[in-house]
Amino acid sequence: MGAQGCLGIGRMDSRVHAVPSFEVNVVDTTGAGDTFNAAFIHAFFNKTLPFERSLQFANAMAAASCENRGTELTAQVLARGEKLYQS
């Protein structure tokens, strides 16, 4: 939902989880949705974070990807996403 954050429905609790967005200087949104999906899968299944924390992680990574032109996930983008997530 872009600047409005994201919504996710947990399979285990059937609850709607609303997660706010991160304020970033948007340069290019190309690939942000793909980044969000990949980051959510990584956080939820690989890092085994709780559902809502996985949404927050995915939001942070997608936001960080919007600060650069193009779709390349560089080490800088990943570090920026992690910093946003930790904030």
Side-chain angles (χ1 to χ4, degrees), residues 7-8 12 16 25 33-34 36-37 41 49 57 59 72 86:
L7 297 174
M12 300 301 281
V16 176
N25 180 26
D34 293 331
F36 178 92
N37 290 333
I41 290 168
L49 294 177
F57 180 81
N59 251 5
E72 186 176 357
Q86 296 298 329

Side-chain angles (χ1 to χ4, degrees), residues 35-47:
T35 300
F36 178 92
N37 290 333
F40 178 81
I41 290 168
H42 172 68
F44 192 71
F45 292 105
N46 292 341
K47 294 176 84 169

Side-chain angles (χ1 to χ4, degrees), residues 8-38:
I9 300 174
R11 192 179 90 184
M12 300 301 281
D13 62 5
S14 299
R15 201 175 69 117
V16 176
H17 299 264
V19 175
S21 63
F22 292 90
E23 252 186 71
V24 295
N25 180 26
V26 176
V27 173
D28 186 359
T29 61
T30 304
D34 293 331
T35 300
F36 178 92
N37 290 333

